[in-house]
Amino acid sequence: MVGTYFNRWRYMATAIACSGGGLGCIIFAILFNKATEAYGWRGSMLINAALALNLVLCGIIMRPLETKATHIKVPIFDASLLKDVKMFMFALSMIFWNIGTITIYFIVSDYLVEIGIEHNKAIYLLTIIGIANTIGRLLAGLTALFPHWEYANLWLYTISIFCYGIVSMMFNVGGAYGVFAVYGSIFGFFFGTQLGAIANVIIDLFGMAKFNNSYGYLMFAQGVGNIIGPPIAGALRDYTKSYFVSFFFAGGASVVGSVVLVIIIFMHKSSKKRTFEPSPAGDPMLTQQPETHKMSEL
């Protein structure tokens, strides 16, 4: 919805809107720890549900812009996207990096407690991650300053996933709490830049007209990663009696997700080149009208 209100500064506006998720990580890591101590996990989940219900009100007050342009009916279910190889690859990447990130959030505090760090400090690491995450999300919008760099969002998104994948593995070699705080800050920052860029990447790859359907399909892929990641990491922990393999599993999954994205970048470049072919007379002739993903100027 935010993207429909902006053209030139769409990337920046989307990143700012996404920064609220990072603020949530800052606040709720401490809030729900206290709620669990006071009311148990069942009570804390009820509080969580009540707060989440307020999102309905936020959605109600969001209205599409009224324009004089001819209204184009957008299908609720766009099956053509399911035949798009880029969509399949992008969804596969989302499954992998979600396996990695959700696993870190699930196991890092328990790991710190296991190696002797105080429980409150272990929980506070999630707040540190949230602070860095918020900063990263905001900075992701700076790609709006480089409108002529066609793949700025996609490279930022890809490199960020690769970087926090490597940092995820490094949690194994931490010792003092300060070292883990540094790891958490780096992890949170790159995770934030990636999340701040994700909507813009989807627009660049599939177009604004198909954004709603694309985003919906990809959120399904994200849910798949969130479901299967923690159980696998937990099973590895139980089998090996150590979090060592679990952290490598999480980081490795994210790195694989970034590799898939590199493939998408080259696929996208190749498909754009194939839209131009020489005519029999030798002059360039446009054989297929490419979809324009450039943002218009205000």
Side-chain angles (χ1 to χ4, degrees):
M1 180 66 74
V2 173
T4 63
Y5 283 83
F6 299 89
N7 289 318
R8 174 66 179 86
W9 297 105
R10 178 176 292 160
Y11 295 156
M12 183 68 75
T14 303
I16 293 173
C18 290
S19 66
L23 294 173
C25 293
I26 297 172
I27 299 170
F28 289 105
I30 297 175
L31 175 63
F32 286 114
N33 182 48
K34 298 296 183 182
T36 302
E37 292 176 354
Y39 305 107
W41 70 268
R42 288 184 176 85
S44 66
M45 291 302 292
L46 288 174
I47 295 172
N48 185 20
L51 293 172
L53 190 60
N54 288 277
L55 295 175
V56 176
L57 298 177
C58 295
I60 290 174
I61 64 175
M62 297 182 72
R63 302 281 184 179
L65 288 175
E66 292 293 334
T67 64
K68 296 180 180 180
T70 303
H71 292 284
I72 300 175
K73 190 174 182 179
V74 178
I76 297 176
F77 182 79
D78 189 348
S80 66
L81 284 168
L82 300 178
K83 303 175 184 177
D84 190 331
V85 177
K86 284 186 299 183
M87 172 60 69
F88 173 79
M89 297 287 285
F90 202 91
L92 185 65
S93 172
M94 289 198 74
I95 291 174
F96 276 114
W97 69 252
N98 274 282
I99 288 174
T101 54
I102 195 66
T103 297
I104 295 299
Y105 277 99
F106 264 80
I107 70 175
V108 68
S109 57
D110 289 337
Y111 170 65
L112 295 186
V113 171
E114 184 178 276
I115 63 175
I117 292 176
E118 185 182 344
H119 180 263
N120 287 336
K121 283 187 175 182
I123 295 297
Y124 186 68
L125 181 64
L126 297 178
T127 300
I128 294 174
I129 292 175
I131 294 171
N133 189 290
T134 303
I135 296 172
R137 292 185 192 222
L138 290 171
L139 293 181
L142 294 180
T143 55
L145 302 177
F146 307 96
H148 301 297
W149 186 6
E150 188 175 6
Y151 295 97
N153 287 306
L154 191 49
W155 276 117
L156 174 66
Y157 182 82
T158 303
I159 293 171
S160 296
I161 294 174
F162 177 81
C163 288
Y164 70 62
I166 297 298
V167 174
S168 297
M169 301 180 196
M170 293 176 64
F171 276 102
N172 280 312
V173 296
Y177 183 77
V179 176
F180 289 113
V182 172
Y183 291 161
S185 298
I186 299 173
F187 173 86
F189 175 79
F190 282 112
F191 189 29
T193 56
Q194 179 239 331
L195 292 176
I198 185 171
N200 298 324
V201 169
I202 295 172
I203 293 171
D204 289 347
L205 287 177
F206 305 106
M208 192 67 203
K210 294 186 176 183
F211 175 75
N212 290 339
N213 282 284
S214 302
Y215 196 80
Y217 298 150
L218 293 170
M219 288 303 102
F220 174 80
Q222 178 174 324
V224 172
N226 287 336
I227 290 172
I228 65 179
I232 295 175
L236 291 172
R237 164 65 180 82
D238 292 340
Y239 181 77
T240 63
K241 308 301 180 184
S242 170
Y243 282 104
F244 184 85
V245 178
S246 296
F247 280 115
F248 268 96
F249 163 73
S254 296
V255 170
V256 170
S258 69
V259 172
V260 174
L261 287 166
V262 173
I263 297 173
I264 293 175
I265 293 174
F266 287 104
M267 286 176 56
H268 193 59
K269 287 183 177 181
S270 177
S271 65
K272 293 190 72 173
K273 287 181 180 178
R274 286 198 300 268
T275 59
F276 292 91
E277 295 179 357
S279 67
D283 295 326
M285 179 179 66
L286 182 63
T287 59
Q288 179 181 353
Q289 184 65 33
E291 184 175 8
T292 300
H293 300 314
K294 292 281 188 180
M295 300 299 105
S296 61
E297 299 290 334
L298 281 175

